Amino acid sequence: MARPSHVKVDLQALRSNYQWACDLAPASKTMAIIKADAYGHGAVACARALDDLAPAFGVACIEEALQLRQAGISKPILLLEGAFTDDEVVTAAEQDFWLIVEDPRQVDAIINATLKQPVQVWVKMDTGMHRLGLAPFRLAELMGKLEASPNVAEGMVMASHFACADELNNDFTRQQIQFFHDHMPNKDMPFSLANSAGILAWPEAHGTWNRAGFMLYGNTPLNGDHPSNKGLTPVMSLNSAVISLRQVAAGESVGYGQSWTAKRPSTIATVAMGYADGYPRHAGTGTPLLVNNQRASLIGRVSMDMITIDVTDIEGVDVGSPVCFWGPELSANEVAETMGTIGYELMTRVGLRLPKVYV
Ligand SMILES: *Cc1c(COP(=O)(O)O)cnc(C)c1O
């Protein structure tokens, strides 16, 4: 029997989440963001599943974009951090990769390149997140340089990114939208502001293009209940099974560092899932998971390849019983919160050694 640990990916759910992003913003085009191996779901499989729906994809770097081209994906692909080197500008023009320009050096790299055909440019404005983006006072000058260059394709897009769109009561999002429109050098040009949180909760942020990432994978990025969460279905479930069972007496401890000690006679299940699979080592006793579809708790320390669960109160547990760490029945966001992180991090860190099962 093979090691039972695997990632299950529901591609039909992915498609319906994408469709929900489109339904929420019918006047916008929705780019599917599949960086970081589609947030751990497998970029090639996700791109193929969305290829007939999405007009373009977005990734973090050219290596991710080339992987998609090599797999036969022919749609435009936006490089969300732009070109890191001069060579990447040449490759982008050849491969129909769109370039974010967020720094004056990237402007120079594009206009000084020798290209066979022009490259599509998205100019990023820093509207207050202060991570990436051109300073507004330099926008007109730098856009002028780009517009005058034969290396730049028609139809530049103006873009920015939100710092707090997941916080439903934070007015900073509205301030960023206002700032963006106030500083657009050309009010008629195509623009793009909304990430998933913007699509779900801030209709005033919808633009020519929206950029849907986390929501495609079926969990909400919002920090509260919101009517638009209802259209999301989780795509990933992280699964394994019980590989060993034992009884321990009250007072006996389990695992590395003896960090958990039984207060009563207990049944302990050992499960093939560890930090080398991307399950965080800092997940503590009490982290929820499902054994035989019933909620149980992690106990003791996460090992490289295994964890232990107290199944004293769970019925029908045997070697082979299924264990789910997160999925449609237990939200990755809830699990992440008990670990002090967010669903984004859990998904993107799912280990490469886990086979993916697409359904
Ligand atoms: C990752 C990313 C997105 C998608 O964000 P989600 O919160 O996952 O929807 C959108 N835009 C940019 C620039 C990004 O880097």
Side-chain angles (χ1 to χ4, degrees):
M1 188 187 84
R3 188 171 188 252
S5 320
H6 65 278
V7 183
K8 199 166 93 187
V9 178
D10 178 349
L11 294 172
Q12 203 47 53
L14 178 73
R15 287 172 62 85
S16 81
N17 296 328
Y18 177 84
Q19 193 57 55
W20 181 239
C22 298
D23 293 348
L24 290 170
S28 305
K29 288 183 274 192
T30 301
M31 172 176 285
I33 305 296
I34 55 173
K35 62 189 176 189
D37 203 26
Y39 295 51
H41 296 68
V44 169
C46 290
R48 285 185 180 142
L50 294 173
D51 204 30
D52 64 325
L53 299 175
F57 295 104
V59 299
C61 58
I62 204 162
E63 291 78 6
E64 294 180 339
L66 286 168
Q67 181 200 20
L68 295 170
R69 281 288 177 269
Q70 276 147 20
I73 301 297
S74 58
K75 293 279 169 67
I77 303 172
L78 177 66
L79 307 186
L80 292 163
E81 290 157 38
F84 290 97
T85 66
D86 295 349
D87 289 350
E88 291 186 9
V89 176
V90 178
T91 307
E94 280 169 8
Q95 298 281 340
D96 197 18
F97 299 157
W98 298 353
L99 291 178
I100 288 266
V101 168
E102 67 83 23
D103 181 280
R105 278 170 302 189
Q106 291 175 322
V107 175
D108 291 335
I110 291 172
I111 63 182
N112 295 329
T114 306
L115 304 181
K116 293 201 192 76
Q117 60 268 4
V119 68
Q120 178 71 51
V121 169
W122 285 37
V123 176
K124 189 162 189 174
M125 186 197 306
D126 183 357
T127 53
M129 185 169 180
H130 302 320
R131 184 181 64 175
L132 293 181
L134 298 176
F137 75 93
R138 296 204 58 190
L139 272 178
E141 166 215 342
L142 294 168
M143 268 186 58
K145 280 171 89 173
L146 289 164
E147 262 159 0
S149 168
N151 283 345
V152 178
E154 292 287 304
M156 263 194 287
V157 176
M158 181 66 65
S160 193
H161 195 60
F162 292 132
C164 309
D166 56 323
E167 298 173 21
L168 298 171
N169 299 318
N170 191 332
D171 193 54
F172 192 59
T173 302
R174 223 164 254 125
Q175 292 169 35
Q176 283 191 276
I177 297 168
Q178 186 65 48
F179 186 96
F180 182 79
H181 288 294
D182 288 348
H183 291 85
M184 282 250 274
N186 168 357
K187 307 285 178 219
D188 299 323
M189 70 187 293
F191 71 96
S192 176
L193 283 167
N195 54 2
S196 295
I199 294 168
L200 291 163
W202 304 90
E204 62 273 53
H206 296 173
T208 320
W209 285 95
N210 296 334
R211 309 184 304 268
F214 190 62
M215 70 176 292
L216 297 179
Y217 309 100
N219 290 281
T220 182
L222 303 176
N223 70 349
D225 288 334
H226 191 280
S228 65
N229 290 343
K230 71 174 189 292
L232 302 176
T233 309
V235 174
M236 176 190 288
S237 48
L238 180 63
N239 303 296
S240 187
V242 175
I243 59 169
S244 187
L245 269 178
R246 70 206 57 244
Q247 309 294 327
V248 299
E252 292 190 307
S253 56
V254 174
Y256 283 123
Q258 297 186 304
S259 71
W260 182 86
T261 301
K263 294 196 176 71
R264 55 174 179 168
S266 302
T267 310
I268 304 302
T270 302
V271 177
M273 178 63 57
Y275 60 79
D277 300 302
Y279 192 83
R281 183 177 177 279
H282 69 259
T285 292
T287 303
L289 27 73
L290 301 173
V291 181
N292 274 347
N293 239 350
Q294 302 161 67
R295 279 177 90 101
S297 286
L298 177 85
I299 55 134
R301 202 167 277 171
V302 175
S303 308
M304 186 182 293
D305 314 306
M306 286 172 275
I307 59 159
T308 43
I309 306 176
D310 181 356
V311 294
T312 313
D313 300 323
I314 310 292
E315 277 159 39
V317 180
D318 211 336
V319 168
S321 291
V323 178
C324 177
F325 300 91
W326 57 78
E329 313 299 330
L330 175 63
S331 103
N333 286 342
E334 181 195 335
V335 175
E337 202 173 318
T338 68
M339 297 174 179
T341 182
I342 56 175
Y344 287 71
E345 187 180 4
L346 289 188
M347 286 179 183
T348 54
R349 292 182 71 161
V350 157
L352 285 177
R353 81 172 173 194
L354 292 178
K356 292 192 182 70
V357 178
Y358 291 98
V359 294

